[in-house]
Amino acid sequence: MKIDDWLLEILACPACKAPLRADSEAEELACTGCGLIYPVRDDIPVLLVDEARKP
């Protein structure tokens, strides 16, 4: 997964607006607030609440 650090700094969870942290092994972005986990497909974060899964 290739997400630039500057991009990760400005990405936020669409549900609660908390910062996201990258999980490179699972190719996912996890919300530090509500805990939703967003997939990353072809190095593109899919930040749709409907596509997120709960931990």
Side-chain angles (χ1 to χ4, degrees):
M1 176 170 75
K2 296 180 183 178
I3 297 179
D4 294 329
D5 290 334
W6 64 269
L7 180 59
L8 194 55
E9 287 179 17
I10 62 174
L11 288 179
C13 174
C16 72
K17 309 299 185 244
L20 299 172
R21 66 174 168 76
D23 183 356
S24 297
E25 291 180 10
E27 293 200 3
E28 297 175 326
L29 294 175
C31 177
T32 58
C34 66
L36 288 176
I37 300 172
Y38 298 92
V40 177
R41 297 185 188 125
D42 297 324
D43 294 331
I44 300 170
V46 181
L47 298 178
L48 300 172
V49 176
D50 293 341
E51 293 283 325
R53 67 178 176 85
K54 295 184 180 183

Coordinates of all heavy atoms in Angstrom, one line a residue:
M1 N 0.9 -1.2 0.0 CA 0.0 0.0 0.0 C 0.9 1.2 0.0 O 1.8 1.4 0.8 CB -0.9 0.0 1.3 CG -1.8 1.2 1.4 SD -3.0 1.0 2.7 CE -2.0 1.1 4.2
K2 N 0.6 2.1 -0.9 CA 1.4 3.3 -1.1 C 0.6 4.6 -0.9 O 0.0 5.1 -1.8 CB 2.1 3.4 -2.4 CG 3.1 2.3 -2.7 CD 3.7 2.4 -4.0 CE 4.6 1.2 -4.3 NZ 5.2 1.3 -5.6
I3 N 0.5 5.0 0.4 CA -0.2 6.3 0.7 C 0.8 7.2 1.2 O 1.5 6.9 2.2 CB -1.4 6.1 1.6 CG1 -2.4 5.2 1.0 CG2 -2.0 7.4 2.0 CD1 -3.6 4.9 1.9
D4 N 1.0 8.3 0.6 CA 2.0 9.3 1.1 C 1.7 9.8 2.5 O 0.5 9.9 2.8 CB 2.1 10.5 0.1 CG 2.7 10.1 -1.3 OD1 3.5 9.2 -1.3 OD2 2.3 10.7 -2.2
D5 N 2.7 10.1 3.2 CA 2.5 10.6 4.6 C 1.7 11.9 4.6 O 0.9 12.1 5.5 CB 3.9 10.8 5.3 CG 4.6 9.5 5.6 OD1 3.9 8.5 5.7 OD2 5.8 9.5 5.7
W6 N 2.0 12.8 3.7 CA 1.2 14.1 3.7 C -0.2 13.8 3.4 O -1.1 14.5 4.0 CB 1.8 15.0 2.6 CG 1.7 14.6 1.2 CD1 2.6 13.8 0.5 CD2 0.6 14.8 0.4 NE1 2.1 13.6 -0.8 CE2 0.9 14.1 -0.9 CE3 -0.6 15.4 0.5 CZ2 0.0 14.1 -2.0 CZ3 -1.5 15.4 -0.6 CH2 -1.2 14.8 -1.8
L7 N -0.6 12.8 2.6 CA -2.0 12.5 2.4 C -2.6 11.9 3.6 O -3.8 12.2 4.0 CB -2.1 11.6 1.2 CG -3.5 11.2 0.8 CD1 -4.4 12.4 0.5 CD2 -3.5 10.2 -0.4
L8 N -1.9 11.0 4.3 CA -2.4 10.4 5.5 C -2.7 11.4 6.6 O -3.6 11.2 7.4 CB -1.5 9.3 5.9 CG -2.0 8.3 7.0 CD1 -3.3 7.6 6.5 CD2 -0.9 7.3 7.3
E9 N -1.9 12.4 6.6 CA -2.1 13.5 7.6 C -3.4 14.3 7.4 O -4.0 14.7 8.4 CB -0.9 14.5 7.6 CG 0.3 13.9 8.2 CD 1.5 14.9 8.1 OE1 1.2 16.1 7.9 OE2 2.6 14.5 8.2
I10 N -3.9 14.4 6.2 CA -5.1 15.2 5.9 C -6.4 14.3 5.8 O -7.5 14.8 5.8 CB -5.0 16.1 4.7 CG1 -4.7 15.3 3.4 CG2 -3.9 17.1 4.9 CD1 -4.7 16.1 2.2
L11 N -6.2 13.0 5.7 CA -7.4 12.1 5.6 C -8.0 12.0 6.9 O -7.4 12.0 8.0 CB -7.0 10.7 5.1 CG -6.6 10.6 3.7 CD1 -6.2 9.1 3.4 CD2 -7.7 11.0 2.7
A12 N -9.3 12.0 6.9 CA -10.1 11.8 8.2 C -11.3 10.9 7.9 O -11.7 10.7 6.8 CB -10.6 13.2 8.6
C13 N -11.7 10.3 9.0 CA -12.9 9.4 8.9 C -14.1 10.1 8.5 O -14.4 11.2 9.1 CB -13.1 8.7 10.3 SG -14.5 7.7 10.4
P14 N -14.8 9.7 7.5 CA -16.0 10.4 7.1 C -17.2 10.3 8.2 O -18.0 11.1 8.2 CB -16.5 9.7 5.8 CG -15.6 8.5 5.6 CD -14.5 8.6 6.6
A15 N -17.1 9.3 9.0 CA -18.2 9.1 10.0 C -18.0 10.1 11.2 O -18.9 10.7 11.7 CB -18.2 7.7 10.5
C16 N -16.7 10.2 11.8 CA -16.5 10.9 13.0 C -15.5 12.0 12.9 O -15.2 12.7 13.8 CB -16.2 10.0 14.2 SG -14.5 9.3 14.1
K17 N -14.8 12.1 11.7 CA -13.8 13.1 11.4 C -12.5 13.0 12.2 O -11.7 13.9 12.3 CB -14.3 14.6 11.7 CG -15.7 14.8 11.0 CD -15.6 14.7 9.5 CE -16.9 15.1 8.9 NZ -17.6 14.1 8.2
A18 N -12.3 11.8 12.8 CA -11.0 11.5 13.5 C -9.9 11.1 12.5 O -10.2 10.7 11.4 CB -11.2 10.4 14.5
P19 N -8.7 11.3 12.9 CA -7.6 10.9 12.0 C -7.6 9.4 11.7 O -8.1 8.6 12.5 CB -6.3 11.2 12.8 CG -6.7 12.1 13.8 CD -8.2 11.9 14.1
L20 N -7.0 9.0 10.6 CA -6.9 7.6 10.2 C -5.4 7.1 10.4 O -4.5 7.9 10.2 CB -7.3 7.4 8.8 CG -8.8 7.8 8.5 CD1 -9.0 7.7 7.0 CD2 -9.7 6.8 9.2
R21 N -5.2 5.8 10.7 CA -3.9 5.3 10.7 C -3.8 4.1 9.7 O -4.8 3.4 9.5 CB -3.5 4.8 12.1 CG -4.3 3.7 12.7 CD -3.7 3.2 14.0 NE -4.7 2.3 14.6 CZ -4.9 1.0 14.3 NH1 -4.2 0.5 13.3 NH2 -5.8 0.3 14.9
A22 N -2.7 4.0 9.1 CA -2.5 3.0 8.1 C -2.1 1.6 8.7 O -1.3 1.6 9.6 CB -1.5 3.4 7.1
D23 N -2.7 0.6 8.1 CA -2.3 -0.8 8.4 C -1.8 -1.4 7.1 O -2.6 -1.9 6.3 CB -3.4 -1.6 9.0 CG -3.0 -3.0 9.4 OD1 -1.9 -3.4 9.2 OD2 -3.9 -3.7 10.0
S24 N -0.5 -1.3 6.9 CA 0.1 -1.7 5.6 C -0.1 -3.2 5.3 O -0.3 -3.6 4.1 CB 1.5 -1.3 5.5 OG 1.7 0.1 5.6
E25 N 0.0 -4.0 6.3 CA -0.1 -5.5 6.1 C -1.5 -5.9 5.6 O -1.6 -6.7 4.7 CB 0.2 -6.2 7.4 CG 1.7 -6.1 7.7 CD 2.0 -6.9 9.0 OE1 1.1 -7.6 9.5 OE2 3.1 -6.7 9.5
A26 N -2.5 -5.3 6.2 CA -3.9 -5.6 5.8 C -4.4 -4.7 4.7 O -5.5 -5.0 4.2 CB -4.8 -5.5 7.0
E27 N -3.6 -3.7 4.3 CA -4.1 -2.7 3.3 C -5.4 -2.1 3.6 O -6.4 -2.2 2.9 CB -4.1 -3.4 1.9 CG -2.7 -3.8 1.4 CD -2.6 -3.9 -0.1 OE1 -3.7 -3.7 -0.8 OE2 -1.6 -4.3 -0.6
E28 N -5.4 -1.5 4.8 CA -6.6 -0.9 5.3 C -6.2 0.4 6.1 O -5.1 0.6 6.5 CB -7.3 -1.8 6.3 CG -7.8 -3.1 5.8 CD -8.4 -4.0 6.8 OE1 -7.9 -4.0 7.9 OE2 -9.4 -4.7 6.4
L29 N -7.2 1.3 6.3 CA -7.0 2.5 7.1 C -8.0 2.3 8.2 O -9.2 2.1 8.0 CB -7.3 3.7 6.3 CG -6.4 4.1 5.1 CD1 -6.9 5.3 4.4 CD2 -5.0 4.3 5.7
A30 N -7.5 2.5 9.5 CA -8.4 2.3 10.6 C -8.6 3.7 11.3 O -7.6 4.5 11.4 CB -7.7 1.4 11.6
C31 N -9.8 4.0 11.7 CA -10.1 5.2 12.4 C -9.6 5.2 13.8 O -9.9 4.2 14.5 CB -11.6 5.5 12.3 SG -12.1 7.0 13.2
T32 N -9.0 6.2 14.3 CA -8.5 6.3 15.6 C -9.6 6.7 16.6 O -9.4 6.6 17.8 CB -7.3 7.3 15.8 OG1 -7.8 8.6 15.3 CG2 -6.1 6.8 14.9
G33 N -10.8 7.1 16.1 CA -11.9 7.6 16.9 C -12.9 6.5 17.0 O -13.0 5.8 18.1
C34 N -13.7 6.2 16.0 CA -14.8 5.3 16.1 C -14.4 3.8 15.8 O -15.2 2.9 16.1 CB -15.9 5.7 15.2 SG -15.5 5.7 13.4
G35 N -13.2 3.6 15.2 CA -12.7 2.3 15.0 C -13.1 1.7 13.7 O -12.7 0.5 13.4
L36 N -13.9 2.4 12.8 CA -14.2 1.8 11.5 C -12.9 1.5 10.7 O -12.0 2.3 10.8 CB -15.1 2.7 10.7 CG -16.6 2.8 11.2 CD1 -17.3 3.9 10.4 CD2 -17.3 1.5 11.2
I37 N -13.0 0.5 9.9 CA -11.8 0.1 9.1 C -12.2 0.2 7.6 O -13.1 -0.4 7.2 CB -11.3 -1.3 9.4 CG1 -11.0 -1.3 10.9 CG2 -10.2 -1.7 8.6 CD1 -10.7 -2.7 11.5
Y38 N -11.4 1.1 6.9 CA -11.7 1.3 5.5 C -10.7 0.6 4.6 O -9.5 0.6 4.9 CB -11.6 2.8 5.2 CG -12.6 3.6 6.0 CD1 -12.3 4.2 7.2 CD2 -13.9 3.8 5.5 CE1 -13.2 4.9 8.0 CE2 -14.8 4.6 6.2 CZ -14.5 5.1 7.5 OH -15.4 5.8 8.2
P39 N -11.2 0.0 3.5 CA -10.3 -0.8 2.6 C -9.5 0.2 1.8 O -9.9 1.3 1.5 CB -11.2 -1.6 1.8 CG -12.5 -0.8 1.8 CD -12.6 -0.1 3.1
V40 N -8.4 -0.3 1.3 CA -7.5 0.4 0.3 C -7.4 -0.5 -0.9 O -6.9 -1.6 -0.8 CB -6.1 0.8 0.8 CG1 -5.3 1.4 -0.2 CG2 -6.3 1.7 2.1
R41 N -7.9 -0.1 -2.0 CA -7.9 -0.9 -3.3 C -7.1 -0.2 -4.3 O -7.3 0.9 -4.7 CB -9.3 -1.1 -3.8 CG -10.2 -1.9 -2.8 CD -11.6 -2.2 -3.4 NE -12.4 -2.7 -2.3 CZ -13.6 -2.2 -2.0 NH1 -14.1 -1.2 -2.6 NH2 -14.3 -2.8 -1.0
D42 N -6.1 -1.0 -4.8 CA -5.2 -0.4 -5.8 C -4.6 0.9 -5.4 O -4.5 1.9 -6.1 CB -5.9 -0.3 -7.2 CG -6.4 -1.6 -7.7 OD1 -5.6 -2.6 -7.6 OD2 -7.4 -1.6 -8.4
D43 N -4.1 1.0 -4.1 CA -3.5 2.1 -3.5 C -4.4 3.3 -3.4 O -4.0 4.5 -3.2 CB -2.2 2.5 -4.2 CG -1.1 1.5 -4.1 OD1 -1.1 0.8 -3.0 OD2 -0.3 1.4 -5.0
I44 N -5.8 3.1 -3.5 CA -6.7 4.2 -3.4 C -7.6 3.9 -2.2 O -8.3 2.9 -2.1 CB -7.6 4.3 -4.6 CG1 -6.7 4.6 -5.8 CG2 -8.7 5.4 -4.5 CD1 -7.4 4.5 -7.2
P45 N -7.6 4.8 -1.2 CA -8.5 4.6 0.0 C -10.0 4.7 -0.4 O -10.4 5.7 -1.1 CB -8.1 5.7 0.9 CG -6.8 6.3 0.4 CD -6.8 6.0 -1.0
V46 N -10.8 3.8 0.1 CA -12.2 3.8 -0.2 C -12.9 4.3 1.1 O -13.2 3.5 2.0 CB -12.7 2.4 -0.6 CG1 -14.2 2.5 -0.8 CG2 -12.0 1.9 -1.8
L47 N -13.1 5.6 1.2 CA -13.6 6.2 2.4 C -15.1 6.4 2.4 O -15.6 7.5 2.5 CB -12.9 7.6 2.6 CG -11.4 7.5 2.8 CD1 -10.8 8.8 3.0 CD2 -11.0 6.6 4.0
L48 N -15.8 5.3 2.2 CA -17.2 5.3 2.2 C -17.7 4.5 3.4 O -17.2 3.4 3.7 CB -17.8 4.6 1.0 CG -17.4 5.3 -0.4 CD1 -17.8 4.4 -1.5 CD2 -18.0 6.6 -0.5
V49 N -18.5 5.1 4.2 CA -19.0 4.5 5.4 C -19.7 3.1 5.1 O -19.5 2.1 5.9 CB -20.0 5.4 6.2 CG1 -20.5 4.7 7.5 CG2 -19.2 6.7 6.6
D50 N -20.3 3.0 4.0 CA -21.0 1.8 3.6 C -20.0 0.7 3.3 O -20.3 -0.5 3.4 CB -21.9 2.0 2.4 CG -23.1 2.9 2.7 OD1 -23.4 3.0 3.9 OD2 -23.7 3.4 1.8
E51 N -18.8 1.0 2.9 CA -17.7 0.1 2.6 C -16.9 -0.3 3.8 O -16.1 -1.3 3.7 CB -16.8 0.6 1.5 CG -17.5 0.8 0.2 CD -17.7 -0.5 -0.6 OE1 -16.8 -1.4 -0.5 OE2 -18.7 -0.6 -1.3
A52 N -17.0 0.5 4.9 CA -16.2 0.2 6.1 C -16.7 -1.0 6.8 O -17.9 -1.3 6.8 CB -16.1 1.5 6.9
R53 N -15.8 -1.6 7.6 CA -16.2 -2.7 8.5 C -15.9 -2.3 9.9 O -15.0 -1.5 10.2 CB -15.6 -4.0 8.1 CG -14.1 -4.1 8.3 CD -13.6 -5.4 7.9 NE -12.1 -5.5 8.0 CZ -11.4 -5.7 9.1 NH1 -12.1 -6.0 10.2 NH2 -10.1 -5.7 9.1
K54 N -16.7 -2.9 10.8 CA -16.4 -2.6 12.2 C -15.4 -3.6 12.7 O -15.3 -4.7 12.2 CB -17.7 -2.8 13.0 CG -18.8 -1.8 12.6 CD -20.0 -1.9 13.4 CE -21.0 -0.8 13.0 NZ -22.2 -0.8 13.8
P55 N -14.6 -3.1 13.7 CA -13.5 -4.0 14.2 C -14.0 -5.2 15.0 O -15.1 -5.3 15.4 CB -12.7 -3.1 15.1 CG -13.6 -2.0 15.4 CD -14.6 -1.9 14.4

